[in-house]
Amino acid sequence: NAGVTQTPKFQVLKTGQSMTLQCAQDMNHEYMSWYRQDPGMGLRLIHYSVGAGITDQGEVPNGYNVSRSTTEDFPLRLLSAAPSQTSVYFCASDSDGQGYGYTFGSGTRLTVV
Amino acid sequence: ILNVEQSPQSLHVQEGDSTNFTCSFPSSNFYALHWYRWETAKSPEALFVMTLNGDEKKKGRISATLNTKEGYSYLYIKGSQPEDSATYLCALLGSARQLTFGSGTQLTVLP
């Protein structure tokens, strides 16, 4: 059981480049979320999904797009990378939100130069 | 938008000491309160999911209480060990099952 798998683990982008951070879970969880972690600011919600075909914006959605075409996958797209998007990104999933808590991926460390 | 505060920001204790930290929220307009343990260079791991109305949970030396009326949750660690060193995150579960996190309490247990 792999849990939540994020790829890549590390990435360096140049300003203006685009890329997709991948997130996949094999637990048949309905709920999936993307967070970014910045020093002194904790985990901030970027986008979330309550099921295939349904996504919504979190606290800091600007500059990011998501889609949820399948239950398993929830990719995060950076449209035109900016230095302010340098951060550690975590994907997480849960089955019903009130059971055992969210399961987090191992994170993607992104640097935009 | 849910608001959640954690205190203290950081804490150093000696091995064997018991300790506690606080998660406070001005409004009880959420579905559940989560506690996570986050070790350096790892991912957050769920400790407790607290349901409303005075829930209490315990796992080994760690326990948590929730008082929605007064607007706080406490996390207690009894007899702290160096392996308890981590950042402890509190999060509120919103109506769409999304989490809003506090900024965490960083615990260091000195041997």
Side-chain angles (χ1 to χ4, degrees):
Chain A
N1 191 340
V4 178
T5 302
Q6 285 186 242
T7 56
K9 291 195 185 305
F10 303 94
Q11 183 72 48
V12 178
L13 286 179
K14 292 183 179 178
T15 298
Q17 285 185 316
S18 62
M19 78 159 294
T20 300
L21 279 62
Q22 301 292 344
C23 175
Q25 52 91 9
D26 61 358
M27 299 171 285
N28 203 32
H29 284 175
E30 309 99 303
Y31 304 101
M32 297 187 75
S33 304
W34 275 102
Y35 297 87
R36 57 177 290 172
Q37 184 233 339
D38 301 298
M41 305 196 74
L43 287 167
R44 292 186 293 167
L45 182 64
I46 304 171
H47 285 284
Y48 61 98
S49 169
V50 300
I54 307 170
T55 64
D56 207 345
Q57 297 180 351
E59 184 185 351
V60 288
N62 292 339
Y64 307 95
N65 272 357
V66 291
S67 60
R68 184 98 182 268
S69 55
T70 65
T71 300
E72 294 77 20
D73 299 299
F74 191 42
L76 179 73
R77 295 183 188 85
L78 279 69
L79 309 172
S80 177
S84 61
Q85 293 178 303
T86 294
S87 188
V88 181
Y89 292 84
F90 287 97
C91 178
S93 73
D94 193 12
S95 60
D96 62 6
Q98 293 194 31
Y100 302 103
Y102 270 77
T103 301
F104 280 78
S106 57
T108 295
R109 183 175 293 275
L110 176 69
T111 303
V112 183
V113 297
Chain B
I1 295 179
L2 297 170
N3 193 12
V4 53
E5 303 274 343
Q6 289 188 250
S7 61
Q9 192 172 9
S10 65
L11 191 56
H12 289 72
V13 301
Q14 290 294 135
E15 182 176 355
D17 286 352
S18 293
T19 187
N20 67 84
F21 14 96
T22 306
C23 173
S24 58
F25 40 89
S27 165
S28 297
N29 188 23
F30 56 89
Y31 281 75
L33 184 146
H34 290 202
W35 280 100
Y36 289 83
R37 181 170 178 273
W38 193 2
E39 291 181 74
T40 303
K42 293 189 178 179
S43 307
E45 289 184 350
L47 278 175
F48 301 117
V49 174
M50 316 288 291
T51 54
L52 301 186
N53 301 322
D55 201 9
E56 272 192 51
K57 292 282 171 70
K58 185 175 164 69
K59 188 185 291 187
R61 294 181 291 101
I62 305 177
S63 60
T65 61
L66 173 61
N67 186 325
T68 52
K69 204 172 182 180
E70 302 292 324
Y72 64 82
S73 175
Y74 289 150
L75 189 78
Y76 301 90
I77 301 179
K78 186 178 175 182
S80 302
Q81 300 297 308
E83 57 265 30
D84 295 329
S85 297
T87 296
Y88 291 84
L89 297 171
C90 169
L92 304 181
L93 189 71
S95 58
R97 304 298 190 260
Q98 79 280 24
L99 288 173
T100 299
F101 282 89
S103 53
T105 292
Q106 187 174 12
L107 174 67
T108 304
V109 182
L110 304 168

